[in-house]
Amino acid sequence: MLTPGPTIAIVGKGALGLLYGSRAAQALGPGHVAYAMDADRIRRHAADAYTVNGEPVDLPDRTPEEVGPVDLVMVAVKNLALPAALDLMAPLVGPNTRIVSVLNGISSEEAIAARYGWDRIVMCVAQGMDAMRFGTTLTYSKYGKLHIGMLPQTPQATFDAVRAVFDAADLPYLVEEDITYRLWAKFMLNVGINQTCAAYQISYSEVVADELSEYFRTYVSAMREVIAVAAAEGVTIPESELTGMVALERTLDPGGTPSMGQDVINHNPTEVDTFAGEVMRRAARHGIYVPVNAFLYQRIREIEATYL
């Protein structure tokens, strides 16, 4: 059991899980934050020593049964691991537990709600960070913000409870009037920057340095295809959003690369189906051509096939 509230259990110890968990643990003190994982994984990683920007951090791993119900569950796994995470986190969810997802894509909350109900969930979009995790080392220069907002089915009490935990844990956030729009805008960015960095195995700065380069053309064209699909689904993303995303990328660690680029470096499965795959499926329903995303899907799958 964790120390009485506010208590946070994080499912997933990748870049975002480490980024938010380390900050929350520093703000709340010992006994308030734990990483929930199965006993076998805990044994395999018992000797791991994590650092965040070069500083050692003590971030406990516990089984969900040891942790018990918490105030907030933060789901921070990759999309491929979400089904297993939903099973794992059951002991963490009590009568007053709220849930936020920082997964990429536009559908993780639907999967979580199908299991635990919309009344527990606050929509959340993590944006503006450049965190990179390799092994047990996390580095970042930009922390970004958690963008949160209410859907019609979001209880006010749930939203207020999540804000209270974020405030106590010193997690920077921004309240969005239209969280569905923000979700699609971030999806647009990820489809462009994540996949371009992975497909060409390059950094943020290499994508945006030369606006006449193949890298930049691919990045912007992939985002424009998302704009077309979003419009068909009732979400209007203006040109200013795209240009703002380009400007944002120019502020990030020049040598950094996003999560999918890190996956390629680490020879891990990527989230290409969450990005290009999702764009292609939705585009097909609306009769929209998305050749750049089809190219990125094929290229990244070919890269994955080379892993030894």
Side-chain angles (χ1 to χ4, degrees):
M1 296 290 290
L2 294 179
T3 302
T7 53
I8 303 173
I10 301 175
V11 182
K13 210 170 185 178
L16 293 189
L18 283 171
L19 184 69
Y20 300 125
S22 59
R23 181 156 179 157
Q26 184 177 30
L28 295 172
H32 290 269
V33 180
Y35 289 86
M37 59 186 70
D38 62 64
D40 182 61
R41 187 175 183 85
I42 291 173
R43 283 192 294 270
R44 293 201 313 269
H45 294 278
D48 289 353
Y50 287 89
T51 62
V52 176
N53 279 350
E55 295 295 323
V57 291
D58 182 18
L59 302 170
D61 301 331
R62 301 283 186 268
T63 66
E65 292 76 13
E66 290 174 324
V67 176
V70 293
D71 295 311
L72 178 69
V73 175
M74 179 176 286
V75 185
V77 298
K78 294 293 181 69
N79 277 277
L80 292 170
L82 181 57
L86 294 178
D87 292 335
L88 176 83
M89 62 191 267
L92 305 172
V93 180
N96 299 312
T97 301
R98 318 302 181 188
I99 303 170
V100 296
S101 165
V102 295
L103 273 67
N104 289 321
I106 52 177
S107 60
S108 67
E109 283 90 355
E110 293 177 4
I112 298 169
R115 180 69 177 270
Y116 294 105
W118 278 111
D119 58 316
R120 297 182 181 279
I121 298 171
V122 168
M123 297 287 285
C124 182
V125 179
Q127 186 170 315
M129 71 294 299
D130 57 6
M132 295 194 300
R133 180 202 155 187
F134 294 103
T136 58
T137 299
L138 177 76
T139 58
Y140 69 91
S141 68
K142 299 289 184 182
Y143 194 85
K145 284 186 172 65
L146 294 166
H147 297 244
I148 58 175
M150 297 180 65
L151 296 177
Q153 62 267 45
T154 308
Q156 186 66 51
T158 295
F159 192 69
D160 293 344
V162 169
R163 291 189 67 180
V165 174
F166 281 7
D167 286 335
D170 192 32
L171 296 177
Y173 65 92
L174 179 66
V175 175
E176 294 280 354
E177 291 295 323
D178 186 348
I179 192 61
T180 301
Y181 169 83
R182 180 50 48 201
L183 192 71
W184 273 93
K186 174 63 186 302
F187 181 61
M188 176 191 72
L189 173 64
N190 273 333
V191 165
I193 195 66
N194 257 286
Q195 296 190 126
T196 302
C197 287
Y200 295 102
Q201 299 175 58
I202 55 177
S203 66
Y204 294 118
S205 62
E206 290 173 286
V207 174
V208 298
D210 181 359
E211 295 182 7
L212 297 180
S213 71
E214 179 180 351
Y215 309 146
F216 190 81
R217 293 198 307 271
T218 301
Y219 165 50
V220 171
S221 297
M223 289 197 292
R224 290 201 189 284
E225 291 179 355
V226 174
I227 290 175
V229 173
E233 301 216 349
V235 178
T236 301
I237 302 177
E239 184 68 16
S240 59
E241 188 70 55
L242 187 151
T243 57
M245 293 301 189
V246 174
L248 172 66
E249 295 308 310
R250 288 178 169 146
T251 71
L252 303 182
D253 179 3
T257 191
S259 59
M260 190 179 283
Q262 296 168 50
D263 287 335
V264 169
I265 293 170
N266 292 324
H267 285 194
N268 291 329
T270 74
E271 292 184 300
V272 67
D273 191 65
T274 300
F275 296 142
E278 187 73 22
V279 173
M280 292 162 64
R281 287 188 292 272
R282 291 178 183 249
R285 293 201 293 266
H286 298 292
I288 298 171
Y289 289 118
V290 288
V292 175
N293 274 280
F295 158 74
L296 288 166
Y297 186 93
Q298 178 178 330
R299 184 180 182 107
I300 292 167
R301 286 301 194 206
E302 289 171 351
I303 292 171
E304 290 177 325
T306 68
Y307 295 168
L308 297 179

